[in-house]
Amino acid sequence: MAKNDEFSLTQELDEALEDFFSEEDSKAMLDKKTASAKTSTKKNKTVAKADDEESVLSLDQSSQLDVSGANLEKIKAIVLQLEWEITDETMESFIAEVEALTQIYKGDDHALPLLKVLDTLSRYVNKNKVKSHPEAIKCLRSVFDALEKIFTTKGMADKQRKSIVDTELERYNSLKNQLTEKAPKATSNIERIAKVSGTVSAKELKQFLVDEIRKAIQEEFQKIRKELSNH
Amino acid sequence: MALINPKKKEVQVKIVYYGPGRGGKTTNLEYINKKFKSRIKSEMVTVKTYNDRTLFFDFLPFDIGVIKGHTIKVQFYTVPGQVKYNATRKLVLRGVDGIVFVADSMELRREMNIRSLQNLEENLGSMNKNLNKIPLVLQYNKRDLAKEGIPLLSIETMEEDLNKTLNAPSFPASAVVGDNVAETMKKIISLTVSSLKKKLDVGEEK
Ligand SMILES: Nc1nc2c(ncn2[C@@H]2O[C@H](COP(=O)(O)OP(=O)(O)O)[C@@H](O)[C@H]2O)c(=O)[nH]1
Ligand SMILES: [Mg+2]
């Protein structure tokens, strides 16, 4: 059994390393993902359009899903992309897609609060980019997953929907508290290193560097003095 | 001293690139940081002097993925090569889990390589650590200079000088070109994380 464990660890490790250091540029991978999302989006759009023409007035559940399906897929592609990079472009299209969905689900008590959270979170991430609180991205993904579940699970009981929505809202609120309570102070590089490394305290590191710099400057001055007195 | 956080399911490992000054440690990290930029969500931090030589150290942290349910976070450090900065080297070595020794293949750097490796052993010794017991990879850097007609040490000589008793995995490399830079890093991560297996298992039981 220990053997097995070892085997699977090595295998998992190898796979993770292969993935990370693979030659294929991750950007290219993403472009592919987005491209496939785009093609399916197109298909969905045509379906939705046909529906629109047939019954403009009665936007029934299924055609609503066709339209939102396209938006959902686009958002999904972007959510995946956020794992790699956060750009103005991705975030702006994210916000636009959420807005489109909000229009469609204006009257939906369950979807609307989640969409609102998505909107707020995406604006926050857009503003802060990679400096966003890591929980914000996680929360965004989680809310999106919940939304997708609500939209795509057929015949979900109202009670279940409500419980899903409540869980997400709770999560969002606790994130909000975290963000407002201790707005991350502007930390210096040194503090960041110390914080991430955990092996040296920030104070220790700072003091050490100050001492080293002082020493270096003193030595340099001594050399200069010597140089000057030689002339 | 890997930090394992069973609650957050995180394992943090510290890997130090060691070696003589101007050997190419910073260039190794810079290459990785550039090449895999889109996968590295953090910034590389370099604390350096006016003339671009590493005075203190470079720092590059990133996650490599999830293994056995744990997010593996690796932190790479380089040390300053100049003799007088031994205090910095010792500080950076604190809590190290794995080491890459970047040797300079130029013939005229032969002594410096040997001295730097000795210095590494001494510094580890002062922390009651033994180089034989720490995951280690050797890199013989600047192989590209052969094309320029610059006299290089043969791989055999370098193995004899540096790796005879250690018997660590070794790579000829070129950090500027990128040859074997990722391979070196992959190897050290793999050795280091595997050596933490026991700790990982303990973490899992909790
Ligand atoms: N030709 C060549 N030059 C290199 C190579 N690696 C590093 N250098 C150069 O060597 C010098 C010192 O490199 P650096 O990474 O700062 O060394 P460190 O002091 O070990 O961090 C720089 O000018 C690099 O461009 C290599 O593989 N080939
Ligand atoms: Mg350097």
Side-chain angles (χ1 to χ4, degrees):
Chain A
M1 193 168 143
K3 263 253 162 64
N4 249 336
D5 249 27
E6 214 153 294
F7 176 71
S8 74
L9 169 90
T10 322
Q11 205 179 22
E12 270 187 58
L13 185 56
D14 284 351
E15 279 167 15
L17 291 174
E18 275 312 310
D19 271 3
F20 190 93
F21 292 105
S22 67
E23 281 300 313
E24 189 180 8
D25 186 47
S26 54
K27 185 115 194 333
M29 265 157 59
L30 278 176
D31 286 348
K32 252 191 249 162
K33 252 182 217 154
T34 332
S36 70
K38 262 183 202 144
T39 33
S40 49
T41 293
K42 228 181 226 158
K43 228 176 19 208
N44 281 344
K45 270 256 165 73
T46 23
V47 176
K49 216 176 196 157
D51 273 351
D52 281 353
E53 277 159 16
E54 271 167 35
S55 54
V56 190
L57 286 176
S58 70
L59 198 66
D60 65 14
Q61 261 258 294
S62 76
S63 70
Q64 196 179 29
L65 238 166
D66 281 334
V67 182
S68 62
N71 300 88
L72 272 183
E73 271 202 60
K74 268 196 215 165
I75 296 181
K76 193 171 194 158
I78 299 168
V79 170
L80 285 171
Q81 201 165 340
L82 292 184
E83 302 265 301
W84 299 104
E85 59 176 355
I86 304 169
T87 63
D88 281 331
E89 206 188 336
T90 45
M91 288 321 294
E92 271 156 26
S93 53
F94 190 103
I95 293 168
E97 296 303 327
V98 172
E99 259 165 25
L101 279 179
T102 308
Q103 283 307 313
I104 298 172
Y105 286 93
K106 247 190 232 149
D108 188 322
D109 288 349
H110 297 120
L112 216 53
L114 291 186
L115 285 166
K116 193 145 193 282
V117 169
L118 273 188
D119 182 67
T120 314
L121 279 176
S122 55
R123 285 174 201 279
Y124 163 82
V125 172
N126 188 30
K127 199 169 142 208
N128 293 281
K129 298 277 168 4
V130 288
K131 294 202 182 77
S132 303
H133 195 289
E135 275 304 314
I137 310 259
K138 275 193 208 156
C139 186
L140 199 144
R141 204 175 344 144
S142 165
V143 172
F144 172 77
D145 287 344
L147 197 63
E148 189 182 38
K149 203 164 165 189
I150 289 182
F151 284 166
T152 55
T153 313
K154 284 206 177 105
M156 188 188 277
D158 246 21
K159 213 169 135 193
Q160 201 187 342
R161 284 186 185 216
K162 190 174 175 324
S163 120
I164 292 177
V165 173
D166 287 348
T167 311
E168 294 310 316
L169 291 183
E170 221 166 89
R171 185 180 179 132
Y172 169 70
N173 281 328
S174 98
L175 169 70
K176 214 166 65 180
N177 287 338
Q178 272 184 58
L179 288 177
T180 45
E181 258 169 34
K182 37 175 186 198
K185 267 191 293 173
T187 42
S188 66
N189 275 348
I190 301 306
E191 278 162 340
R192 261 200 299 146
I193 294 171
K195 202 167 148 209
V196 188
S197 86
T199 49
V200 187
S201 82
K203 215 174 138 197
E204 229 178 341
L205 196 52
K206 225 176 192 167
Q207 189 53 49
F208 175 82
L209 288 176
V210 168
D211 289 349
E212 286 290 294
I213 291 169
R214 193 175 285 145
K215 248 193 279 174
I217 292 173
Q218 278 169 357
E219 275 169 28
E220 204 66 25
F221 269 128
Q222 258 166 22
K223 278 185 212 151
I224 294 170
R225 266 194 218 108
K226 221 166 140 193
E227 193 73 14
L228 286 173
S229 64
N230 281 344
H231 285 280
Chain B
M1 202 201 66
L3 301 176
I4 295 168
N5 186 336
K7 224 173 172 181
K8 281 209 265 171
K9 293 243 159 203
E10 266 178 21
V11 179
Q12 199 174 84
V13 296
K14 174 171 180 175
I15 293 171
V16 174
Y17 276 60
Y18 209 95
R22 313 291 289 162
K25 300 176 292 293
T26 301
T27 311
N28 262 272
L29 292 198
E30 278 171 350
Y31 176 84
I32 296 287
N33 189 40
K34 206 162 148 200
K35 170 125 187 170
F36 303 105
K37 195 164 192 56
S38 50
R39 288 165 217 185
I40 297 175
K41 278 157 248 165
S42 32
E43 284 165 69
M44 177 163 166
V45 180
T46 299
V47 187
K48 61 184 166 189
T49 48
Y50 46 88
N51 58 1
D52 237 31
R53 296 181 65 167
T54 310
L55 174 54
F56 299 113
F57 47 77
D58 308 297
F59 176 69
L60 176 68
F62 55 81
D63 296 358
I64 51 157
V66 179
I67 290 151
K68 298 216 127 224
H70 289 69
T71 303
I72 309 288
K73 297 178 156 311
V74 270
Q75 303 171 344
F76 293 94
Y77 287 78
T78 71
V79 293
Q82 295 96 310
V83 179
K84 61 178 175 179
Y85 294 123
N86 201 41
T88 315
R89 280 195 292 277
K90 277 188 172 175
L91 183 89
V92 172
L93 272 179
R94 264 205 236 169
V96 66
D97 298 304
I99 297 172
V100 173
F101 185 85
V102 180
D104 193 323
S105 297
M106 287 198 285
E107 221 173 73
L108 69 148
R109 294 284 165 84
R110 187 172 179 186
E111 277 309 309
M112 275 178 69
N113 291 331
I114 297 171
R115 258 188 279 134
S116 177
L117 189 63
Q118 277 169 356
N119 170 263
L120 170 61
E121 296 195 281
E122 281 162 21
N123 282 339
L124 286 172
S126 77
M127 301 167 188
N128 293 319
K129 283 191 173 172
N130 185 338
L131 188 55
N132 283 298
K133 297 208 176 102
I134 295 178
L136 170 74
V137 172
L138 300 187
Q139 184 186 72
Y140 306 137
N141 192 30
K142 305 196 184 175
R143 299 314 296 185
D144 61 291
L145 289 177
K147 291 196 305 286
E148 320 275 325
I150 292 172
L152 296 188
L153 296 159
S154 71
I155 297 296
E156 293 71 38
T157 308
M158 296 188 85
E159 283 278 298
E160 178 76 18
D161 280 355
L162 308 168
N163 204 15
K164 205 173 163 194
T165 55
L166 291 170
N167 260 315
S170 63
F171 295 90
S174 168
V176 278
V177 178
D179 287 345
N180 274 343
V181 171
E183 287 73 10
T184 303
M185 189 175 267
K186 254 162 93 171
K187 191 76 190 174
I188 191 62
I189 297 175
S190 168
L191 289 177
T192 309
V193 176
S194 303
S195 83
L196 295 174
K197 183 192 177 311
K198 272 198 198 119
K199 294 182 195 171
L200 266 177
D201 287 348
V202 172
E204 250 178 4
E205 271 153 33
K206 280 185 188 159

